[in-house]
């Protein structure tokens, strides 16, 4: 397949954007109040992708492990901020930002290092052409799982506070008293990636696999790469959710097995 046949002009991209203009028009007509949000989200996406395209082109040319690691750290920082922003009731102090970020960073870094050094094995193994796109996919899915899990944990504890405190008063440890809440948070955080894996190949063709096929890669080879990526994403998401929830349980209780919801901020009206 000739790659030049698949090249797109900015005019082609702009025509595709007319569908978003249609969505904004329908929002105005139906008084949904989403037109401004659609415009802002689309504009932000365009600017961010254009800038990241230029940045990645420069990074790929430089081939520096330190620059690659620096970009990875910046990605973790932005992902941590997104996790923090999506919480209806955030942890007070630096914990609100650090807990989700640390869980994602540990899980994603472990998975990406194993995936690159032992499985994909590019030369060098930290090659930004492989490391950064893969790290972005892993981090993006872990972000969704961790944010959902932490939000479920805090919301459920707030709602079931009396039941949990009753068990603690009866002598249960914090881990025993919070076990149902912990399970619910873990299930909430894992559900998106489970649904994604279940639908992949039947309901949807993943973007990476579709891109490889469009660029001329044999479909069976594209399938193997996509399976590898999905396994890495699933593993990182599960590990990140587990670390975040266990860390959240530990932070929202203390060594004397007391519930410490005073460590949560009050819910903000604009949350979510």
């Amino acid at each position: 397949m000739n790659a030049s046949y698949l090249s797109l002009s900015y005019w082609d991209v702009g025509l595709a954007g007319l569908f978003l203009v249609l969505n904004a028009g329908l929002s105005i007509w139906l008084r949904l109040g989403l037109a401004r949000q659609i415009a802002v989200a689309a504009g932000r996406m365009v600017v961010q992708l254009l800038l990241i395209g230029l940045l990645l082109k420069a990074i790929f040319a430089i081939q520096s492990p330190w620059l690659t690691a620096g970009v990875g750290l910046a990605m973790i920082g932005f992902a941590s901020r997104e996790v923090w922003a999506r919480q209806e009731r955030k942890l007070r102090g630096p914990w609100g930002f650090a807990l989700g970020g640390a869980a994602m960073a540990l899980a994603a870094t472990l998975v990406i290092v194993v995936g690159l050094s032992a499985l994909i094995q590019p030369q060098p193994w930290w090659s930004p052409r492989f490391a950064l796109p893969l790290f972005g996919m892993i981090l993006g899915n872990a972000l969704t799982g961790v944010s959902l899990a932490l939000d479920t944990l805090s919301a459920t504890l707030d709602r079931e506070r009396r039941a949990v405190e009753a068990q603690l008063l009866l002598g249960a440890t914090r881990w025993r008293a919070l076990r149902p809440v912990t399970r619910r948070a873990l299930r909430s955080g894992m559900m998106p990636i489970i649904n994604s894996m279940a639908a992949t190949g039947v309901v949807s063709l993943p973007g990476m696999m579709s891109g490889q096929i469009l660029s001329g890669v044999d479909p069976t080879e594209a399938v193997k790469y996509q399976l590898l990526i999905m396994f890495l994403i699933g593993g990182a998401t599960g590990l990140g959710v587990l670390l975040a929830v266990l860390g959240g349980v530990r932070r929202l209780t203390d060594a004397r097995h007391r519930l410490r919801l005073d460590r949560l901020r009050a819910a903000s009206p604009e949350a979510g």
Side-chain angles (χ1 to χ4, degrees):
M1 184 180 294
N2 188 353
S4 63
Y5 175 77
L6 298 174
S7 63
L8 297 174
S9 67
Y10 285 109
W11 174 253
D12 298 324
V13 177
L15 287 177
L18 290 177
F19 288 106
L20 285 182
V21 176
L22 175 62
N23 288 340
L26 289 173
S27 174
I28 295 173
W29 181 46
L30 297 173
R31 299 182 180 179
L32 301 179
L34 296 176
R36 177 181 173 84
Q37 295 181 42
I38 291 173
V40 171
R44 179 177 171 180
M45 176 185 66
V46 170
V47 173
Q48 289 175 167
L49 286 177
L50 288 175
L51 291 177
I52 200 64
L54 295 174
L55 177 63
L56 288 177
K57 184 175 181 180
I59 293 173
F60 292 169
I62 296 172
Q63 287 284 317
S64 166
W66 302 111
L67 184 57
T68 302
V71 173
L73 287 174
M75 293 167 68
I76 291 173
F78 283 112
S80 301
R81 193 270 171 193
E82 287 298 316
V83 169
W84 176 83
R86 295 182 187 189
Q87 305 307 304
E88 184 176 357
R89 296 202 62 185
K90 304 173 178 65
L91 285 168
R92 295 181 183 275
W95 281 96
F97 186 87
L99 179 59
M104 287 189 302
L106 288 173
T109 300
L110 174 63
V111 168
I112 191 72
V113 169
V114 172
L116 290 174
S117 61
L119 302 175
I120 301 176
Q121 297 182 333
Q123 295 298 326
W125 72 267
W126 47 263
S127 172
R129 186 175 297 275
F130 291 86
L132 294 180
L134 181 58
F135 192 61
M137 287 188 284
I138 291 174
L139 203 59
N141 284 272
L143 184 157
T144 300
V146 168
S147 61
L148 281 174
L150 289 177
D151 192 55
T152 301
L153 177 66
S154 60
T156 305
L157 276 178
D158 187 45
R159 185 173 61 250
E160 301 183 6
R161 176 175 186 169
R162 292 184 178 180
V164 172
E165 288 182 333
Q167 292 191 54
L168 293 173
L169 288 172
L170 291 173
T173 66
R174 54 180 171 177
W175 301 108
R176 176 66 184 86
L178 271 68
R179 187 177 299 170
V181 178
T182 301
R183 287 175 176 168
R184 187 175 302 176
L186 290 172
R187 286 176 59 86
S188 178
M190 286 294 295
M191 198 54 62
I193 187 60
I194 291 174
N195 290 339
S196 178
M197 289 190 293
T200 297
V202 177
V203 178
S204 65
L205 288 179
M208 175 183 171
M209 177 179 167
S210 300
Q212 286 185 310
I213 293 175
L214 289 173
S215 65
V217 175
D218 183 82
T220 56
E221 193 67 21
V223 166
K224 288 190 290 184
Y225 270 96
Q226 189 60 53
L227 286 174
L228 174 64
I229 298 304
M230 291 302 294
F231 289 151
L232 294 178
I233 289 174
T237 300
L239 182 57
V241 167
L242 179 63
L243 292 173
V245 170
L246 293 182
V249 170
R250 187 175 181 86
R251 181 60 184 166
L252 293 174
T253 56
D254 59 24
R256 297 173 61 184
H257 301 278
R258 297 178 301 179
L259 193 60
R260 297 296 304 274
L261 294 187
D262 58 295
R263 293 173 176 172
L264 286 175
R265 296 184 181 183
S268 54
E270 68 275 8

